[in-house]
Amino acid sequence: MIKVGVIFGGKSVEHEVSIISAVQAMKHLDKDKYMTVPIYISKDNEMYTGAFLNDIEIYSDMDNLKRYAKNVVMYVKDNRIVLQNKKGFKGIVNEVDIILPVVHGMNVEDGTLQGYLELLGVPYVGSDIYAATVGQDKVFMKQIFESAGLNVPKYVWFFENEYKAGSEIIINEIEKLKYPVIVKPAKLGSSIGISIANNKEELIEAIDEAIKYDTKVLVEEVIPNLTEVNASVLGDYTYYQVSELEEVMGKDAFLSFNDKYIGSSKSKAPLKGTSTSKGMLSTNRVIPANIDKKLREEIIDMTKSAARVLNTSGVARIDYLIDKKKKKAYINEINTIPGSLSFYLWEPLGKSYEELLDEMITLAIKNYKRKSKMTSSFESNILKNHGGLKGVKGCKGKLGKLR
Ligand SMILES: Nc1ncnc2c1ncn2[C@@H]1O[C@H](COP(=O)(O)OP(=O)(O)OP(=O)(O)O)[C@@H](O)[C@H]1O
Ligand SMILES: [Mg+2]
């Protein structure tokens, strides 16, 4: 039996969505093969564990949760991931073999959690730090996708101080894209701080809004005749498989988008946690997407290239903006830990959620073993090239004298 520590929550605007995704995942881990250990990270970055944390109801009362769950710290001992009582650092509460991160957004999904797990040296499911970090920064991801020859909307990006020092130059650059344009903080998510500008006045307002949330700002051309299509990709650099495609209903998506960004000036305020693109929260999706064969094949190819250039692992979701008239697809973004782990895009291909999780975990174990081997052989090379052993002996000698 493999013990899987499912980590979720964290200091992110998508905290609640992560809880939903994780509870779903925990219910679908194959009971014959895996034992689930929930590891919840609260908004104040404390880790809690307890079997009852797999129940969504518990999250409606945080005081109660914190009273009954065990506040733990994680460390590694004898190759086991140990969860130890934080209070007095006494008592091992549980041990796990592998971590399944089901976190969304900044401060967790963006490489923060992956970096922490790398430092501990433990096996974990999904993309590594590099893919995760690029996947959070809308400018990085565009630059990298472009380098792989993938279509991205035309864009301009800048830092807040550059704008303050020379707004006219930057506005001139942006105006070459032609209105309407869409202004986004580079690293937020959930549509926070995003707005559309139809003219210079609205552009200035939109930039002022975006720089409240991030020092780095992205401005893109708005893709007309919009419909949105998402594809999930599973695997690692040795193979990538693309899921069924979903269409986030053109009309509805555009209506909600209007509501969010274009309606009254009040509705331009950031709508915290109102995003529905993260998982199964939205019902206005069509699976399979209603697009022709050629575009479908193009999206499948683009998805594989995008996964490859970022070297994603496990499951990811890539979101496209489609100009329906031109039948042209643009990559909008990648989610390296998609809402609901995109299981609903695999079911139509005959892969159950249990099988999807099983494949992700198996892949993580395989990668961990491969990486462990690579690291050790690399280390021995360094020692050889630098006469390391002598060095160590010398050190011992010195230590001896000191004693
Ligand atoms: N260039 C564009 N042209 C037209 N519409 C766009 C463009 N960029 C973004 N949008 C619309 O805005 C939505 C949010 O943008 P984006 O996905 O970049 O931000 P996000 O922070 O990831 O938000 P969410 O979590 O809501 O997807 C998209 O789903 C799409 O409807
Ligand atoms: Mg999005």
Side-chain angles (χ1 to χ4, degrees), residues 121-381:
V122 302
Y124 62 93
V125 178
S127 289
D128 66 8
I129 308 173
Y130 304 98
T133 305
V134 174
Q136 188 66 37
D137 186 311
K138 291 179 164 83
V139 178
F140 282 169
M141 68 175 106
K142 280 208 158 45
Q143 291 167 329
I144 292 190
F145 289 148
E146 258 184 324
S147 78
L150 300 167
N151 274 336
V152 298
K154 287 195 206 111
Y155 67 97
V156 169
W157 73 273
F158 53 89
F159 285 112
E160 144 271 345
N161 67 315
E162 294 165 346
Y163 177 72
K164 283 177 184 156
S167 62
E168 277 309 312
I169 304 170
I170 287 172
I171 288 172
N172 275 344
E173 271 312 295
I174 294 170
E175 288 188 332
K176 287 183 194 158
L177 301 175
K178 304 233 164 60
Y179 291 109
V181 292
I182 183 161
V183 183
K184 308 177 179 182
K187 298 185 291 289
L188 259 288
S190 287
S191 295
I192 294 171
I194 298 184
S195 36
I196 274 191
N198 292 292
N199 52 50
K200 190 170 173 178
E201 195 194 332
E202 287 179 12
L203 176 64
I204 292 168
E205 214 183 300
I207 294 174
D208 286 345
E209 180 66 23
I211 58 182
K212 283 186 197 159
Y213 297 96
D214 202 332
T215 50
K216 192 176 179 184
V217 175
L218 170 70
V219 183
E220 295 170 22
E221 62 173 333
V222 166
I223 304 305
N225 316 304
L226 182 73
T227 190
E228 292 179 72
V229 170
N230 302 336
S232 177
V233 58
L234 173 65
D236 68 0
Y237 70 93
T238 61
Y239 77 99
Y240 283 119
Q241 194 188 347
V242 180
S243 72
E244 189 48 89
L245 308 186
E246 68 173 327
E247 185 172 358
V248 183
M249 272 293 266
K251 202 172 162 223
D252 286 9
F254 201 72
L255 276 183
S256 67
F257 181 66
N258 272 336
D259 290 341
K260 273 184 190 172
Y261 310 117
I262 306 173
S264 69
S265 60
K266 265 191 190 154
S267 73
K268 278 193 173 167
L271 290 164
K272 285 204 172 74
T274 52
S275 170
T276 53
S277 72
K278 265 291 177 186
M280 291 295 286
L281 301 177
S282 162
T283 49
N284 56 343
R285 30 186 94 236
V286 175
I287 304 173
N290 185 21
I291 51 170
D292 67 26
K293 199 163 164 258
K294 189 166 165 280
L295 194 55
R296 184 188 164 79
E297 275 163 14
E298 237 175 83
I299 290 177
I300 291 175
D301 282 350
M302 284 170 86
T303 303
K304 286 184 185 166
S305 303
R308 178 182 175 274
V309 72
L310 257 65
N311 189 12
T312 62
S313 187
V315 80
R317 198 191 74 219
I318 297 172
D319 297 352
Y320 295 88
L321 303 165
I322 315 277
D323 180 337
K324 265 187 293 191
K325 262 197 193 145
K326 285 194 187 155
K327 295 194 176 169
K328 189 168 174 182
Y330 301 81
I331 287 205
N332 180 36
E333 62 166 339
I334 181 162
N335 289 284
T336 49
I337 306 183
S340 303
L341 302 180
S342 292
F343 80 88
Y344 56 94
L345 293 176
W346 293 97
E347 280 181 339
L349 299 188
K351 203 187 284 289
S352 68
Y353 200 178
E354 283 77 2
E355 287 166 336
L356 176 69
L357 288 167
D358 187 36
E359 196 166 332
M360 290 167 67
I361 295 168
T362 307
L363 200 63
I365 295 171
K366 192 184 83 186
N367 279 332
Y368 182 73
K369 283 185 182 159
R370 182 167 47 208
K371 222 164 93 182
S372 307
K373 266 192 221 151
M374 282 174 68
T375 311
S376 56
S377 62
F378 182 62
E379 271 173 3
S380 63
N381 279 344

Side-chain angles (χ1 to χ4, degrees), residues 1 5 9 27 31 39 57 63 65 81 134 222 281 298 353:
M1 195 67 100
K27 290 209 182 333
K31 309 262 173 311
I39 305 170
E57 300 283 321
D63 292 341
L65 183 153
I81 308 167
V134 174
V222 166
L281 301 177
E298 237 175 83
Y353 200 178

